[in-house]
Amino acid sequence: MQRIFGIGAKKDTKPAPTLAEASQHLDGRVTHIDAQIAKCDQELAVYKKQLAAARGAAAGPIKQRALVVLKRKKMYEQQRDGLMGTHFNIDQAAFTTEQIQTTLITVDAMKAANVAMKKEFKKVDIGKIEAMQDDMEDMMFDAQEINDILGRSYAVPDGCDEAALEAE
């Protein structure tokens, strides 16, 4: 039935390339085009020397060949610039993908921490903490009173100045 309606068997499709693979492929293409541009530069340098030596009618064909090479070089440069723009877009997409993955990992970690915090907070009784803090404050006050009492002088009259005693 499928053949009657023009639907054939499914063909094996290979998986789409990853961003890293696409970036690597573009790097190779840009390198190849850069080599072509360098080759054009070398050819142009040869034609420039020939033009400097040529006079009159002999310069015409050399100029024509140089113009063809110059046009080819410009074409390669445009291709390279287009590929570099595409490469930038792929790198930007890879960065965004990595950022999203980092965000997802962070959110998962925060969810786990939230669950753990809720579990631990169930063990904490704020009323008991307040009562303990009040008890500690009372004990610190009592300890200060005890230190004040123990620090009293017994045989020194009230009118006596400690500076005067030290002077003697």
Side-chain angles (χ1 to χ4, degrees), residues 11-155:
K11 296 179 182 177
D12 292 333
T13 57
K14 57 183 177 180
T18 65
L19 290 174
E21 291 170 342
S23 179
Q24 191 175 29
H25 175 73
L26 284 172
D27 281 339
R29 290 289 303 142
V30 168
T31 302
H32 175 72
I33 290 174
D34 281 339
Q36 294 295 328
I37 291 171
K39 184 179 173 185
C40 288
D41 286 337
Q42 289 173 351
E43 286 182 49
L44 286 171
V46 169
Y47 290 138
K48 187 175 182 180
K49 286 181 184 177
Q50 289 176 355
L51 277 173
R55 300 269 184 241
I62 296 172
K63 281 184 183 180
Q64 289 296 332
R65 288 183 289 204
L67 284 174
V68 169
V69 172
L70 192 59
K71 286 179 185 179
R72 190 175 347 130
K73 178 184 173 186
K74 293 293 181 190
M75 178 192 66
Y76 286 142
E77 286 174 345
Q78 287 176 347
Q79 286 178 356
R80 181 190 60 196
D81 292 345
L83 286 174
M84 302 245 335
T86 303
H87 192 274
F88 174 77
N89 290 339
I90 286 176
D91 286 347
Q92 191 67 23
F95 175 76
T96 303
T97 301
E98 290 173 6
Q99 189 66 30
I100 290 170
Q101 290 172 345
T102 301
T103 301
L104 290 174
I105 290 169
T106 303
V107 168
D108 288 343
M110 290 174 71
K111 283 179 184 178
N114 189 15
V115 168
M117 286 172 58
K118 284 180 181 180
K119 183 179 176 182
E120 294 301 318
F121 264 111
K122 288 179 182 178
K123 297 177 186 178
V124 175
D125 184 7
I126 294 177
K128 287 182 180 180
I129 293 172
E130 279 185 8
M132 179 185 65
Q133 192 69 20
D134 290 341
D135 288 345
M136 287 184 72
E137 186 179 358
D138 290 342
M139 286 189 285
M140 295 297 285
F141 182 74
D142 291 343
Q144 185 62 36
E145 281 186 356
I146 292 170
N147 284 336
D148 288 344
I149 292 171
L150 291 175
R152 288 187 201 158
S153 302
Y154 295 112

